[in-house]
Amino acid sequence: MFGLEALDLARIQFAFTVSFHILFPAITIGLASYLAVLEGLWLKSGEDVYRDLYKFWSKIFAVNFGMGVVSGLVMAYQFGTNWSRFSDFAGAVTGPLLTYEVLTAFFLEAGFLGVMLFGWNRVGRGLHFFATVMVALGTLVSTFWILASNSWMHTPQGHAIVDGRIIPVDWLAVIFNPSFPFRLMHMATAAFIATAFFVGASAAWHLLRGRDNPAVRKMLSMAMWMALIVTPIQAVIGDFHGLNTLKHQPVKIAAIEGHWENSPGEPTPLILFGLPDMQAEVTRFKVEIPVLGSLILTHSLDKQVPALKDFPPEDRPNATIIFWSFRVMVGLGLLMIAAGLWSLWLRRDNAIYRSRPFLYLVLWMGPSGLIAILAGWFTTEIGRQPWVVYGLMRTADGVSNHSYAQLGFTLIMFVVVYFALFGAGLGYMMRLVRKGPYTGEGQEQRPGGPGRKRTPARPLSAADDGQEPDSTSLTEEH
Amino acid sequence: MGIDLPLIWAVIIIFGIMMYVVMDGFDLGIGILFPFVKDDRDRDVMMNTVAPVWDGNETWLVLGGAGLYGAFPLAYSVVLSALYLPLMLMLTGLIFRGVAFEFRFKAHAEKRHLWDKAFIGGSLVATFFQGVALGAFIEGFKVVDRSYAGGSLDWLTPFALFSGLGLIVAYALLGCTWLIVKTQGPLQEQMHDLGRPLALVLLAVIGVVSLWTPLAYPNIAERWFTLPNLFWFLPVPILVLVTLYGLLRSVARRAHYTPFLLTLVLIFLGYSGLGISIWPNIIPPSISIWDASAPPQSQGFMLVGTLFIIPLILGYTFWSYYVFRGKVTHDDDGYH
């Protein structure tokens, strides 16, 4: 059906579940640090606007965190169910790294999340700030572990192969593998940027509807400073990451560039647009700029970039997809840089809060960071193909031996369930965003939390949007 | 001979799964009992009794999965791929239930019944397929060349299906006796009435499993019925009978706490019985924890973090149960 094999279905299923999952942790990482900054600024300046924003965003953070936990449950099992031969082959390295990720997440939840979400009036200011900082740090430590595992699959080292299986030899070498620092920086920064645009779009939505208050203005302003300063930094990190990939996975770069062959003595051009055709081994309809490929990737005017035809066909990733997913990521990145520069221009006479074209742009760019994250992950993961552990195990050899029918059945099940349930979750988050931060929000006391009688100290319950469906039934109680 | 890391990890994972079965068991049980309780306010109370703790309960499931991956990658890959469909259905059930749990309270009144149904359905599906997975696990897997060699529907056996139904009964009893602890008035009354039939059905389930497994699997029969093993293991069935007797008595005299505690003992005994039948295999019928073990570099590396974090998780768990102790009533502002 549709020319897909069981292997393709297994890959689509993993891609679907992990793509859905990554959206929540990305926002969690970004919001946790944002909340830490907000609380720090409030403690330093004493301005209530920061506290109002803290209270507002902590509710959305809570729902988002809960969604991340539920969607992550599936991920912990999918390596074994869908990629059993990979798990057996590489589990001695990837298993412990995943375990550390899980332990970090639980440590976080057990220790500091409760204090952060429910402890506002029950612990001192300093301790509360400490808890927020620890949660922010914890999300980054979780990122650290999961990216160590992923990066090792791209650039494996520190291991030996005994009896056809991976044995860790040097954990430091395993964790700090060559692509890890770049991938970690790139992803963490991407999470910050995605969150900034999410926050910015929320502010723009309110301003466009005439809901103007200091908190809304502050969050737009903070988001746009992030966009202005951090997106160019991200471009530089991305460039370093690209050079690292060129060194360790040259064929991925060749596929991203849709670059099939080098002519002797000529520098490599940069193909702006085109349609790589894997069968015909050409990039059709291409628009190219001479020499620029060499300049960007080798930082020289004459060195050549490896080409797809330098590698046997069975070792090439699908250029048709990653040529475009890469351009989606870069294109959105450039748009973000532009939005940041525009915001700086508009700041001169506070037009940033009034310019409707600008606010509409920021509104529509709300999901841009998340889309760029997905596009980037598609590029790097499809670019890793046909390997699951680069150079060591092919994806086709790592997959479980499941039938087409059962993979198709579970894929449909996941698609239906994820859209229904996480769709409801996202809808709920949007409902919270619509309520907007309002002045004085930070002074309200919410029920719940440790120490209060029988009220839950869990992430999702921190999000009280004021709708209490059971309040009517409670008042009827005789 | 240094430390037996595979043994330590087997104990950690067995403990983790035990914690999961006991703790998620009663909150899944509440979902299973939902159809028996029609009153909306009673349903709120039922959910409120587990609302503060249910997601913490599930952390053990994630920890068990990740721990198995790192410590016994072979078992993780073989067992999970052999149980592909039941596990996927179980996870879907758990997702449904988890999300329903949160949104039931936040939904508008007219949409609430949908979340109720999602909660009931999710709990039933998750429990049933957990039981099916357990039954299929006991039956064992065909392994050739370090990977699962059976078919995709090998788990679909009469015994596995029976285990699925059996686990529904067991979790329903856990949920029922938990509600006896946490509620009062008519709801508690209803649970007291329900306790007796549930306990009797569970007795029948345990009886059938105890006869079925040794009859069908000679190695399990040998484990139990050869001397001197018989004397060592005889206390297990005897204690099961004694506990069940005590359970029926305590429900009859309308005790508040004893039924739940005795149900926990019962679950623990059943779990031990299964352990006796299988030990030391991690992939029945023939691959032991030592055969399936990751290299010591992996198990040792993981152990450092685990031994640091697990006491913290346990401490936090006990503390949250302590905070939320006592009866839940209609008047509680409870859950938002």
Side-chain angles (χ1 to χ4, degrees), chain A residues 17 21 24 66-77 418 422, chain B residues 62:
Chain A
T17 49
H21 174 62
F24 300 113
M67 296 284 122
V69 171
V70 180
S71 60
L73 183 66
V74 178
M75 303 316 303
Y77 283 84
Y418 272 46
F422 296 121
Chain B
V62 182

Side-chain angles (χ1 to χ4, degrees), chain A residues 13 63 67 69-100 102-104 106-107 109-111 114 145 163 165-169 171 175 400-403 406-407 409-411 413-414 417-418 420-422 424-426 428 431 447-465 467-470 473-474 476-478, chain B residues 9 41 44 48 50-56 58-67 69-71 73-74 76-78 80-85 87-92 94-109 112 115 146-148 150 152-153 155 182 291 293-295 297-306 308-310 312-313 316 319 323-336:
Chain A
Q13 183 173 106
V63 177
M67 296 284 122
V69 171
V70 180
S71 60
L73 183 66
V74 178
M75 303 316 303
Y77 283 84
Q78 237 179 355
F79 295 105
T81 52
N82 289 22
W83 304 99
S84 58
R85 280 179 288 183
F86 157 73
S87 303
D88 181 39
F89 173 70
V93 163
T94 52
L97 296 177
L98 185 73
T99 305
Y100 268 97
V102 170
L103 287 171
T104 312
F106 289 165
F107 176 63
E109 186 167 6
W145 289 114
D163 293 337
R165 261 165 300 138
I166 298 280
I167 306 276
V169 176
W171 276 108
I175 294 167
S400 299
N401 185 25
H402 295 316
S403 69
Q406 68 174 340
L407 283 165
F409 167 72
T410 51
L411 177 59
M413 180 176 81
F414 277 122
V417 169
Y418 272 46
L421 293 182
F422 296 121
L426 283 172
Y428 182 61
R431 216 160 85 193
R452 286 288 287 266
K453 192 180 165 226
R454 217 171 282 125
T455 36
R458 298 172 317 90
L460 272 168
S461 48
D464 178 9
D465 64 349
Q467 303 205 7
E468 295 171 34
D470 27 7
S473 61
L474 287 175
E476 282 161 20
E477 179 65 15
H478 36 273
Chain B
W9 268 104
R41 284 178 303 163
D44 286 348
N48 275 332
V50 287
V53 289
W54 77 266
D55 72 334
E58 275 182 13
T59 56
W60 296 97
L61 188 63
V62 182
L63 201 59
Y69 186 15
L74 180 64
Y76 176 80
S77 63
V78 169
L80 266 60
S81 61
L83 297 176
Y84 182 70
L85 284 177
L87 286 178
M88 287 297 167
L89 289 164
M90 176 193 94
L91 290 172
T92 313
L94 287 176
I95 295 176
F96 251 97
R97 194 202 42 155
V99 178
F101 219 117
E102 301 298 342
F103 291 116
R104 181 177 184 274
F105 288 96
K106 303 185 196 301
H108 302 283
R112 219 149 177 228
W115 292 117
R146 297 181 69 87
S147 56
Y148 174 63
S152 55
L153 293 177
W155 52 272
K182 299 296 283 186
D291 302 328
S293 167
Q297 300 92 310
S298 302
Q299 292 188 334
F301 176 65
M302 287 165 69
L303 196 61
V304 180
T306 308
F308 174 67
I309 305 275
I310 284 192
L312 285 170
I313 298 179
Y316 180 75
W319 181 71
V323 168
F324 301 114
R325 69 194 178 281
K327 300 277 183 193
V328 180
T329 64
H330 289 159
D331 304 309
D332 278 315
D333 57 349
Y335 192 72
H336 294 277

Side-chain angles (χ1 to χ4, degrees), chain A residues 80-248:
Chain A
T81 52
N82 289 22
W83 304 99
S84 58
R85 280 179 288 183
F86 157 73
S87 303
D88 181 39
F89 173 70
V93 163
T94 52
L97 296 177
L98 185 73
T99 305
Y100 268 97
E101 197 272 335
V102 170
L103 287 171
T104 312
F106 289 165
F107 176 63
L108 226 177
E109 186 167 6
F112 299 105
L113 197 66
V115 178
M116 173 185 166
L117 294 178
F118 300 100
W120 191 266
N121 300 308
R122 299 182 183 88
V123 297
R125 288 177 174 190
L127 183 57
H128 191 272
F129 179 53
F130 177 71
T132 309
V133 171
M134 288 306 286
V135 167
L137 205 63
T139 61
L140 291 171
V141 177
S142 261
T143 315
F144 175 96
W145 289 114
I146 207 73
L147 286 185
S149 176
N150 176 270
S151 297
W152 180 85
M153 289 163 68
H154 281 272
T155 49
Q157 68 169 31
H159 62 271
I161 297 182
V162 179
D163 293 337
R165 261 165 300 138
I166 298 280
I167 306 276
V169 176
D170 177 353
W171 276 108
L172 281 177
V174 166
I175 294 167
F176 295 97
N177 60 76
S179 65
F180 172 62
F182 303 98
R183 205 179 305 276
L184 177 64
M185 291 283 285
H186 202 41
M187 176 61 197
T189 311
F192 291 153
I193 294 173
T195 307
F197 276 90
F198 181 57
V199 170
S202 313
W205 191 86
H206 286 295
L207 288 169
L208 283 167
R209 266 151 203 79
R211 284 205 53 197
D212 191 351
N213 66 41
V216 170
R217 285 183 173 225
K218 181 62 82 181
M219 71 193 205
L220 181 69
S221 172
M222 289 176 81
M224 286 302 117
W225 281 123
M226 273 295 280
L228 178 70
I229 298 164
V230 183
T231 48
I233 296 176
Q234 177 74 325
V236 175
I237 297 171
D239 182 50
F240 276 105
H241 192 12
L243 293 180
N244 180 266
T245 308
L246 177 64
K247 187 173 167 199
H248 295 279

